[in-house]
Amino acid sequence: MACLRDNFRQALVFLMIKSIFSSALLALAILGTIPTLLSCGEADKTKPTVNVQGKTMGTFYSIQVPGAFQGGAQMLKQTAEHEFEQITSVISGFDENSEISKVNASTDNTVELSEYLGALMAACRHYSEQLGGAMDITVGPLVRLWGFGADPKGQHAPRQDQIAQASSQVGLDKYEINRAEQGAYALRRASAEVQFDLATVGEGLGADAVAAQLDARGVENYLVSVAGASRSKGVNAKGQPWKIGIEDPTTPEHKVFVAVCPLGKAMSTAGSYRNFFKDPDSDRIYSHIIDPFSGYPVQHQTVSVTVIAPTALQTDALDTGLLVMGADKALSFAEQNDLAVYVIEMVDGKPQARYSSAFKPYLDCSTEQP
Ligand code: FAD
């Protein structure tokens, strides 16, 4: 039942987020200025794949569309970057003019939210509750204290009293998201020191938004990747399932540890092996994945968690929380919720993988499309 409710809610949130941004698309389509796509049930092997890459959200994105995309690479790039700009204008902690930065800067404990941000924060809260608070968007003060936010500090572990102070503003009990009578979302928080960090879902939102635009244009085969979050559909130019590599956490040159076929689902990976610093006093390594309960970056041996699910918002929200939980708890959560999860732990200096039973079909890349 919970699974059903979750899918319904998630579809609701996803539709809400999609409808808010793609209403502009509808308007343009009515004006007849939207290029229609040559629909390609089978990838049109005679034409090269339309391939675009670029930078967004402080990281990289790439989009592959086998066959023709009318308006070509330029139109594809323009469409994608318009979506990324819209998302960044709402959730970027690196842009003081974004909506979430204005919420964080406000001295009010009750703040009205836009439809998009309200629906998104409500969805993040839902996933946070599912994970028992291991993913928690109030983690902003700790992210900044450890130097992983917009104003990176020196790479030293903060003092115990600073961690305690920042942690006092973190937790599910510090805020709620309500829908006022006239339907507007409102945030209520314990104090103005409760600060939100939505970085963990940014890339997933970007991948979902571009996938929604491609779906709206009738594109039947594509792969959209925004850093570690991806959406894929149909097949590649060779008519085979899209194959995405999970990185080997021990190789600086991003070698593939295992190839996975998401079979038309979203996939994202959270890792603690890329974004970290070594404290010069203690020689300890601290990553950007923060345990909201201890106030410290995760200290266990799980270094990478990959999730496959219907939307990249869901995979991106869950992967960080499951990484905080560590492999054993992440895999038991996955079995209880029939969730496809793949974890990599460092055991005696070597990467060791385990995965949930729901993940198995995605490892066999010859599996037929559902
Ligand atoms: P994920 O693994 O998906 O999430 C890790 C991030 O989530 C952490 O960085 C932290 O912010 C947060 N987090 C950590 N622990 C938790 C937890 N327990 N629960 C919830 N959240 C947690 N970076 C730049 O350098 N320059 C930019 O201009 C820039 N702009 C950005 C704009 C947007 C809209 C977004 C969303 C991010 C931006 N970033 C920018 C940050 C960067 O893109 C990545 O989000 C960040 O480096 C983490 O990447 P990741 O894939 O490892 O994140």
Side-chain angles (χ1 to χ4, degrees), residues 57-58 92 94 134-136 139 197 199-200 202-203 288 290 316 320:
M57 304 182 198
S92 174
F94 291 75
M135 182 282 281
D136 182 342
V139 79
D197 177 320
T200 191
E203 293 138 13
H288 67 321
I290 309 285
D316 219 6
T320 302

Side-chain angles (χ1 to χ4, degrees), residues 93-120:
F94 291 75
D95 170 1
E96 64 185 10
N97 297 314
S98 73
E99 185 180 356
I100 198 65
S101 294
K102 288 182 181 157
V103 168
N104 283 337
S106 160
T107 51
D108 299 333
N109 294 350
T110 303
V111 185
E112 193 167 314
L113 303 172
S114 67
E115 184 75 8
Y116 181 81
L117 183 58
L120 174 61

Side-chain angles (χ1 to χ4, degrees), residues 44-125:
D44 174 347
K45 299 192 186 76
T46 57
K47 289 217 171 73
T49 295
V50 179
N51 231 321
V52 294
Q53 291 90 24
K55 268 203 88 167
T56 184
M57 304 182 198
T59 184
F60 296 91
Y61 76 87
S62 80
I63 306 166
Q64 297 179 53
V65 174
F69 181 84
Q70 208 165 1
Q74 189 47 34
M75 175 56 78
L76 184 54
K77 194 172 178 70
Q78 220 175 321
T79 304
E81 295 191 353
H82 174 71
E83 293 304 308
F84 298 143
E85 279 154 24
Q86 293 210 20
I87 293 166
T88 299
S89 72
V90 176
I91 75 163
S92 174
F94 291 75
D95 170 1
E96 64 185 10
N97 297 314
S98 73
E99 185 180 356
I100 198 65
S101 294
K102 288 182 181 157
V103 168
N104 283 337
S106 160
T107 51
D108 299 333
N109 294 350
T110 303
V111 185
E112 193 167 314
L113 303 172
S114 67
E115 184 75 8
Y116 181 81
L117 183 58
L120 174 61
M121 289 176 78
C124 288
R125 184 173 179 100

